[in-house]
Structures are given as structure tokens and as C-alpha cells.
Amino acid sequence: MFSRLTRRSTVSTLCYAILVLITTFFVAISCALLLSQAARTAPNGSFVENFNAVVIGAAYVLVLVFSLAFCIKRRIAVHRRLQRISKTFHTLGKNDVPDTVFRYIQQEYTRACLIAYESRPKDGYQEGWGRPGTNCEGVRFRTSLLDTVRKIDTLAHKVIPRHPALRPQARMLHHFRFILPLLSKDEDGLTPLHYYDSAIQLARHMSREPTEQEYIVGMRAAREIETTLQDCYLEMREGSSTNISTCAYSS
């Protein structure tokens, strides 16, 4: 856009310069022809004591002076008008411009907003990422699933302080085997840890990206495990507080 405006400005300046040169050329030619005619028609055949030559020369001098004065006046007027334009940013209000200009700006702004809204991707899909307009928008499934391992491991160590340390390639079903009795089973006899283990294995080792359904199943299982461990940890703290209070009362 800016390059187009620059080209237009350059072409406009060039055309104006050519017009000035052509006008100056023809004015100079006409002046020379008129002066030569005045010299030929004079009684002495020269410019000496030639009243017509003086009138012609004075007329062209006045034209030159008035032309330069008009150009300078316009240049000063444009410069002053540009100086009155505020250089600081401020929002234009309805009273700052004519009504027709304000309505045009408002109409074009509304049209641009509608075009930008309609141009937003609605059906776009990138493998391994949440689709726009859904609850998983902007979420990368593989990274989000793997990030839950640390959170669950931290909660498991709070419940079981001597819980084994996390190994990079350990199966979730093996690593969290000590919390397995704390988890409930579904009608198929599977706990949330079984579903979570499958989702983490897919996220770790599959060449393709996890699907949205696999991500939802894995995150639901992770939330159930986190909720169970959090409840166990809170019960442990409440039990410890109760025992401490009972011992203090007995003493």
C-alpha cells in the first residue's frame, strides 16, 4: 500500500514538473516572438526607445512575479494547514469531521470488522491440536498429556512419601502401582490408571499425533487420579490433625 502511494506521488510530481517546463517554454517563446515583432515594427528597427518592447517586457515580468507570488502563497497556506494537524494520536469523534465523512468511516470500519470475523478459521484442523471453537482450542494434545505426569507424581509422593522416583520411560501402570488400590473400577474392571497409561503410551511412542478423543479420555483419567489423590491427602491431613488434638487433650 505504501509503495503504491509512493509511486503515485512520484508520478504526480513528475507530471507537474513537465507541465511547468512546457508552460515556461511556450511563454518564453511567445515573449521572444513578441519582442522581435516589436523591434521589427519600430521606426528605428531596434529596442532603443521602443515603447512596445517596454510594455511587452513589463507585462511578462508582471506575469512572472504574480505567478511566483501565487505559488509561494499556496505553498505557505498548505504548510500552515499541515502544521495545524495534531501529531498526537487521538480518537476522532463525530464532531471532529463532517457527518458524511464520519458515516463513511463508521461504515468502512464495520465492513472491515465483518470481513475479519468471517475470515477467521472455523473448520481448520491441524493434527495433534485442538480445533478452533472447541474447549480444546489452542491445546497441543501430546504436550498437555505428558505435562500431567509430573503433577500426578507429585501428588503420589504426598500420599505415599516413599513412592518410587519417576523414570523417563516407565509405564504409568507400573510406576503408580501403589496407588492402584485407591482408584475405583468401572464395569469392565479397569481403573482410570489403565486408561491414563494407554493415553501416555500413545503420546510417548506413537508416530502420529494423539486424536482429540484420545486426549479427552487421557485427561479425564488424569483428573480422576488427581482428584482421588488430593482427597486421600486431605483425609491424611485431617486424620493427623485429629490425632494431634486428641493427644494434646489427653495430656
Side-chain angles (χ1 to χ4, degrees), residues 114-222:
L114 291 174
I115 293 174
Y117 176 77
E118 292 296 331
S119 300
R120 293 178 58 189
K122 299 179 178 62
D123 300 326
Y125 172 72
Q126 184 175 357
E127 186 178 357
W129 288 81
R131 291 175 298 174
T134 63
N135 294 331
C136 302
E137 181 179 359
V139 177
R140 190 185 180 192
F141 300 147
R142 188 188 299 273
T143 304
S144 183
L145 280 171
L146 295 177
D147 286 344
T148 60
V149 177
R150 286 288 180 188
K151 298 178 182 178
I152 297 177
D153 183 67
T154 302
L155 288 173
H157 278 87
K158 290 181 178 180
V159 176
I160 307 174
R162 300 186 65 180
H163 192 274
L166 181 62
R167 296 180 180 179
Q169 300 302 325
R171 289 283 300 268
M172 297 297 99
L173 197 58
H174 176 74
H175 177 68
F176 295 117
R177 61 189 181 275
F178 296 109
I179 67 172
L180 194 59
L182 304 175
L183 303 174
S184 60
K185 295 182 180 181
D186 58 9
E187 57 185 9
D188 297 326
L190 300 176
T191 64
L193 185 58
H194 290 84
Y195 296 103
Y196 183 68
D197 176 70
S198 301
I200 294 299
Q201 287 296 105
L202 290 175
R204 279 179 173 176
H205 304 296
M206 287 292 289
S207 57
R208 65 172 178 83
E209 294 289 336
T211 63
E212 185 175 351
Q213 185 62 32
E214 293 169 349
Y215 169 75
I216 292 174
V217 171
M219 293 301 294
R220 184 186 298 120

Side-chain angles (χ1 to χ4, degrees), residues 74-89:
R74 290 293 300 171
R75 189 64 179 263
I76 294 174
V78 171
H79 180 72
R80 289 180 176 177
R81 184 168 295 182
L82 291 176
Q83 289 294 323
R84 287 197 297 267
I85 298 176
S86 177
K87 301 300 187 297
T88 58
F89 175 80

